[in-house]
Amino acid sequence: MKINRKSFLKALAFAGGGTMGLMTSPAPWHLTRDLARWTQNWPWVPAPAQGKPSQVNSICGMCSGGCGIIVRKVDERMVRVEGNKRHPVNRGFICPIGISSLQMVYGPARVRQPLRRAGSRGEGKWEELSWEEAIAEFADSIKKRRSAAQSHAIACFTNSADGTTNELLDRFLKAIGSRNLVKLDSGKDARAALMKVMQGIDALPAYDFEGADFLLSFGCSLLEGWGTCGRMYGAVDSWYRERARPVELVQIESNFSTTASKAAKWIPIAPGTEAALAMGIAHVMISEGSYDQAFVSKHCFGFEDWKDDAGKMHRGFKSLVLGEYSPPAVEKITGVSVKDIEMLGHRFAVSEHPLAVGGGGRGDHFNGIYELMAIHSLNALAGNINKTGGVLVKSSVPLNPLPDVLMDEEAARGYAAGALDGTGKGSSLAAALPGVNDAALQLLIVHESNPLYSLPEQQLAARLFEKIPYIVSLSSYMDESAAHADLVLPLSTRLERWDDQLAAPELQYAVYNLNRPVVAPLYTTRSAGDIVIETAKKLGGTIAESFRWANMQEVLRERAHGLFESGRGVIDSPDLHAIEGDAQFGEPSYSSFSEMWDKLQQQNCWFDTAYNYGDLRNILKTPSGKFEFYSRTLQSMFGIEDDEKYMPHYEKPDNQPKGFDVAIMTEDMLLMGDDGKGTPPFLMKQLDENVLKENDLFVQINPITAMYHDLAEGDRVVLESPAAKVHVRLHLYEGVREGVVLIRLGFGHTAFDKFLRGKGVNAKRLLVVKKDSITGLPLWRITPGKIVKT
């Protein structure tokens, strides 16, 4: 049999059909891996000689989810990655990017030793350095700014991961005299803000997908990368394999996505109207009295109209919903029929464990905090807060905190100056950039992220990369940001270094992942932790005194003492199915810290399933001490006399600019990385020809939209927004709402290697970004556009 890409896809379609098993089983991705081996003969592909086989537990580093993996080796060559069935996050499930992760270790985009820019920025001319020279230059660039009283003008842009490396970077900046540690925006930021304004806590919400029986997903790409991929695959798999009656998933979004294709029902909503639909569903529950009246009466504030201490009456959530969000009114806004709105309200009310989740795409596509508040209000109406199958709170990991930072006079001065975004503390670069004067930022450290590619403010990011006097990149790959840096300090990949991670931010129980090297670094690379420690010692004084550790391994070992001292949690369990429900594990299976540390290095994961279901004391800390439909937290922040501003509601979008008659929306793809890290080359070979043909990216539009614009399948067009123009081709698809142009994320790289570079266009170039009026987070789900045939 002749095996090629097309015959493989036909075989896959025959074997998998349209069943849920195709998406949740790792088998298709194993076949994908094997196909790539059969059909490619690239010189950098590992071809190990005969040797001793072995396998090592590790953690996937391709996203911040923290899935457990097993790496198979032949002697010291890694040859295969598969999911670890004993890891509590993914339990053996793993996404195709994770399976293909070895290609990013052995691939041609790796930076192999320190580099200094030798030509113009972005020209690609480099001078090779030793590590001693590179650390000296890095330290000298910091000394120069501190000598000029510019320590507050040093910033670090890093990824969104929660772990010790980012803690060390923050510590490093503080010891220098800067508050400007800025993390890549993610869905976590919006969800954290939601918990603050409605529940009064500084914590992330967790979602018991495994325990839910009716799930309303407002655009969440549950099968395309939302949350932690491996965990979501396992949850969806359990809905169909371990239950007598599958979970009823309703997908609410404008396009017929992979998740929508696997749902019990798809609701093709008008773009940007999710808040109105959630309020309409609330109307059905309230008007029929089918909400959890006992929970609302006892544990919620602002549901009924209320009187403040001064005797002034305020409108409550119930009055707002019943007065403005009847199903007929919501139908006019959303395009969702009255029948469907009423059905959703009935089903949500009668289900034992209903769950509503927002934050479209991979969690960062939303139209403002009010949308997320409206969706979360449904969970409160159902009384499904801190209950099995409902919205929970992420448990903390009891790591030892790092000791206090020592600060000299310049550090104290710079730190007191506040952050460059004017908040007094670093937040997100997307929020900070508009407030950063061109001359304010003197030195930028870019750590394991790629803002020049991934930020939605592409034009602003490009301008800053031109203006900033000195840029240092800590990256494993020659990505766009590294290519425009002055100094590149190459990082070992996660499989080559000591590192850690607080895993699965949307999972309720505490999970701590420890990475130890699976193989020695292939090239002259180091971990970011080791680079920071060595640079601090080079700078001397209080900065060196704040970094007394010899290396990253020593830091991790010190922090892990907290796990042992807590007296809870386990390193390994023979029965991960016991995690479900209220089951908890017994005493830890180690008697000393040394024994625990040895086990942690072998198993890579500590976790604690203890959770106080039903206990509301520590998760409702609002001014009223209750779940707040009317947010007193927001009221105390703004103090304006407009009750609606403190409650969930639908905000009408701005009028489209003249001449822009379509809505540009982005789509996440399971095969494509969109965080700037790039995509494994083999996965590019799995893209269909109506996604990418040679170097042309296809956008999707409805045939009716095409007819009105006199366009046909395959046409070459210019897609324009107020921010930019790009050249693309058209694919007509009935699964996209009329008036929407759907463009995929993850394409249009100008760096990395020849397998990724120059393929399609970067959708984020088109985006018009607004700021949420409450959180300041970027809003870029919908951008006005127009489309013209070339």
Side-chain angles (χ1 to χ4, degrees):
M1 175 182 178
K2 181 180 179 182
I3 300 177
N4 55 34
R5 179 175 172 278
K6 290 186 178 180
S7 63
F8 166 76
L9 292 175
K10 290 180 180 179
L12 184 60
F14 176 79
T19 66
M20 177 60 68
L22 177 61
M23 288 308 302
T24 60
S25 168
W29 312 122
H30 289 189
L31 293 174
T32 302
R33 177 199 61 223
D34 294 338
L35 170 75
R37 289 178 179 172
W38 295 331
T39 61
Q40 303 299 334
N41 189 28
W42 293 330
W44 52 270
V45 174
Q50 294 294 318
K52 182 180 179 180
S54 63
Q55 62 182 39
V56 182
N57 291 337
S58 191
I59 304 299
C60 180
M62 298 304 291
C63 77
S64 60
C67 291
I69 58 175
I70 294 174
V71 181
R72 297 188 180 274
K73 299 167 59 180
V74 174
D75 285 337
E76 289 306 305
R77 170 74 80 165
M78 298 179 292
V79 296
R80 177 176 174 179
V81 168
E82 60 188 39
N84 184 353
K85 294 181 179 179
R86 298 174 72 87
H87 195 279
V89 170
N90 57 308
R91 310 183 202 183
F93 292 90
I94 186 171
C95 73
I97 291 180
I99 284 180
S100 305
S101 59
L102 293 187
Q103 298 166 38
M104 302 303 288
V105 178
Y106 293 106
R110 289 287 302 272
V111 182
R112 303 189 177 196
Q113 67 183 82
L115 301 172
R116 176 197 292 139
R117 178 168 61 87
S120 301
R121 231 176 229 177
E123 189 179 356
K125 294 183 178 180
W126 302 98
E127 176 187 350
E128 296 179 351
L129 300 175
S130 68
W131 269 108
E132 183 178 359
E133 293 171 320
I135 294 294
E137 181 162 330
F138 185 25
D140 286 343
S141 68
I142 294 171
K143 288 179 181 178
K144 178 181 177 181
R145 273 74 192 180
R146 281 171 52 83
S147 297
Q150 295 177 334
S151 59
H152 64 285
I154 299 171
C156 176
F157 183 80
T158 185
N159 54 48
S160 62
D162 296 317
T164 297
T165 295
N166 278 343
E167 292 269 353
L168 287 177
L169 287 167
D170 191 33
R171 182 182 185 84
F172 184 61
L173 289 178
K174 185 174 182 180
I176 290 169
S178 169
R179 291 179 183 263
N180 300 308
L181 180 75
V182 183
K183 287 188 174 184
L184 182 70
D185 289 309
S186 73
K188 292 189 300 183
D189 302 306
R191 295 196 292 272
L194 171 68
M195 296 300 275
K196 185 66 175 180
V197 300
M198 300 196 83
Q199 295 185 209
I201 57 176
D202 294 312
L204 286 171
Y207 302 96
D208 188 5
F209 291 107
E210 292 82 357
D213 59 6
F214 183 77
L215 178 60
L216 282 181
S217 166
F218 286 81
C220 302
S221 300
L222 301 179
L223 292 175
E224 297 104 309
W226 194 94
T228 303
C229 263
R231 184 264 174 125
M232 289 309 307
Y233 288 177
V236 175
D237 182 72
S238 71
W239 297 348
Y240 292 85
R241 296 181 186 272
E242 300 175 11
R243 296 191 179 195
R245 181 178 179 183
V247 172
E248 188 174 351
L249 168 62
V250 177
Q251 185 70 4
I252 302 165
E253 62 180 324
S254 302
N255 62 295
F256 191 64
S257 64
T258 298
T259 302
S261 72
K262 307 303 177 185
K265 186 173 181 63
W266 170 46
I267 304 292
I269 191 171
T273 63
E274 288 80 1
L277 179 58
M279 299 292 277
I281 295 170
H283 186 286
V284 174
M285 298 173 69
I286 294 171
S287 63
E288 296 182 353
S290 58
Y291 63 96
D292 189 332
Q293 298 183 37
F295 179 86
V296 170
S297 175
K298 185 177 181 179
H299 298 295
C300 296
F301 171 80
F303 181 74
E304 302 285 355
D305 294 349
W306 59 284
K307 184 184 294 186
D308 65 21
D309 294 338
K312 178 179 175 60
M313 287 299 300
H314 294 272
R315 192 181 191 187
F317 181 72
K318 178 180 177 180
S319 295
L320 176 64
V321 169
L322 296 181
E324 300 183 23
Y325 294 98
S326 67
V330 171
E331 180 183 41
K332 292 180 181 178
I333 298 171
T334 65
V336 179
S337 69
V338 169
K339 179 180 178 181
D340 280 340
I341 296 170
E342 292 176 342
M343 178 275 294
L344 294 176
H346 296 154
R347 291 291 299 118
F348 202 81
V350 302
S351 297
E352 186 175 357
H353 302 292
L355 177 60
V357 183
R362 292 178 177 170
D364 51 6
H365 299 182
F366 62 103
N367 300 298
I369 193 68
Y370 293 119
E371 174 188 304
L372 300 182
M373 291 173 66
I375 295 167
H376 193 33
S377 293
L378 297 178
N379 296 308
L381 287 175
N384 208 12
I385 303 294
N386 220 41
K387 295 181 180 178
T388 300
V391 180
L392 311 173
V393 175
K394 178 69 176 177
S395 297
S396 61
V397 175
L399 294 172
N400 270 349
L402 297 175
D404 291 340
V405 174
L406 300 176
M407 303 177 73
D408 60 17
E409 184 178 348
E410 171 57 20
R413 184 211 61 78
Y415 200 74
L420 290 178
D421 64 358
T423 64
K425 60 180 181 179
S427 55
S428 69
L429 188 60
L433 282 179
V436 175
N437 183 282
D438 288 342
L441 189 55
Q442 293 296 312
L443 192 159
L444 176 64
I445 304 165
V446 181
H447 167 250
E448 210 162 39
S449 56
N450 189 6
L452 196 54
Y453 172 85
S454 61
L455 277 181
E457 290 101 332
Q458 281 289 289
Q459 291 75 15
L460 187 53
R463 179 165 60 85
L464 279 175
F465 265 72
E466 291 176 1
K467 298 287 187 180
I468 296 172
Y470 198 77
I471 299 173
V472 180
S473 171
L474 279 63
S475 176
S476 299
Y477 314 105
M478 186 54 72
D479 56 35
E480 283 81 359
S481 298
H484 286 77
D486 299 283
L487 180 67
V488 181
L489 304 179
L491 298 183
S492 304
T493 65
R494 189 172 287 271
L495 295 176
E496 302 168 310
R497 72 186 188 221
W498 287 94
D499 209 343
D500 71 351
Q501 182 183 54
L502 307 186
E506 81 291 345
L507 189 63
Q508 64 268 31
Y509 49 85
V511 180
Y512 175 74
N513 284 332
L514 176 73
N515 273 87
R516 63 184 176 89
V518 175
V519 295
L522 301 180
Y523 309 115
T524 311
T525 59
R526 297 183 181 179
S527 74
D530 287 335
I531 292 171
V532 166
I533 291 170
E534 187 171 349
T535 305
K537 294 184 185 305
K538 188 75 174 178
L539 288 166
T542 55
I543 301 174
E545 292 175 33
S546 296
F547 287 82
R548 52 178 171 73
W549 306 279
N551 52 42
M552 184 65 171
Q553 181 182 358
E554 190 175 303
V555 181
L556 297 175
R557 195 175 194 277
E558 181 177 313
R559 298 205 77 196
H561 263 285
L563 304 177
F564 177 75
E565 292 164 1
S566 72
R568 60 185 179 91
V570 294
I571 300 277
D572 190 24
S573 169
D575 182 16
L576 290 180
H577 289 285
I579 292 174
E580 304 293 353
D582 296 328
Q584 297 178 12
F585 293 100
E587 296 296 322
S589 58
Y590 36 81
S591 58
S592 68
F593 173 71
S594 294
E595 183 183 355
M596 189 211 79
W597 180 247
D598 289 341
K599 285 190 174 185
L600 186 57
Q601 290 181 73
Q602 295 299 318
Q603 302 298 334
N604 298 95
C605 181
W606 172 99
F607 60 101
D608 180 17
T609 61
Y611 191 86
N612 293 323
Y613 291 92
D615 188 351
L616 301 176
R617 289 172 296 178
N618 293 320
I619 69 164
L620 297 178
K621 294 186 176 181
T622 57
S624 66
K626 300 180 178 183
F627 182 98
E628 293 190 344
F629 287 105
Y630 188 110
S631 177
R632 298 296 296 271
T633 300
L634 289 183
Q635 186 185 39
S636 66
M637 290 169 57
F638 297 101
I640 59 176
E641 294 187 5
D642 186 351
D643 288 332
E644 185 183 59
K645 290 295 183 183
Y646 308 128
M647 293 187 287
H649 63 275
Y650 166 68
E651 292 194 317
K652 294 181 180 179
D654 297 333
N655 293 328
Q656 292 270 72
K658 186 176 181 180
F660 291 88
D661 57 355
V662 296
I664 299 173
M665 299 185 70
T666 59
E667 181 183 28
D668 295 289
M669 293 191 69
L670 183 60
L671 296 178
M672 300 297 296
D674 182 46
D675 57 0
K677 289 184 180 179
T679 300
F682 286 170
L683 294 185
M684 298 294 292
K685 305 298 290 185
Q686 306 309 310
L687 297 173
D688 196 88
E689 289 188 349
N690 60 24
V691 175
L692 186 73
K693 188 172 183 180
E694 296 179 345
N695 293 336
D696 292 332
L697 180 67
F698 283 75
V699 298
Q700 298 181 88
I701 64 172
N702 190 282
I704 295 177
T705 306
M707 179 183 67
Y708 278 113
H709 288 80
D710 194 25
L711 299 170
E713 176 69 28
D715 278 353
R716 297 181 185 274
V717 299
V718 173
L719 180 60
E720 181 179 353
S721 76
K725 298 179 181 180
V726 297
H727 291 266
V728 292
R729 297 182 67 178
L730 290 186
H731 173 55
L732 308 190
Y733 179 47
E734 292 84 353
V736 179
R737 274 192 69 101
E738 295 174 32
V740 172
V741 178
L742 202 64
I743 182 168
R744 276 95 171 202
L745 293 164
F747 296 91
H749 281 281
T750 59
F752 286 97
D753 50 54
K754 66 178 182 180
F755 306 103
L756 189 59
R757 186 172 55 245
K759 305 294 184 181
V761 298
N762 184 359
K764 291 186 176 179
R765 289 178 51 202
L766 293 166
L767 301 181
V768 173
V769 181
K770 301 178 181 179
K771 301 299 176 188
D772 181 63
S773 59
I774 304 299
T775 65
L777 291 170
L779 305 178
W780 47 274
R781 191 172 190 181
I782 303 169
T783 291
K786 56 184 174 182
I787 191 165
V788 179
K789 186 174 181 178
T790 59

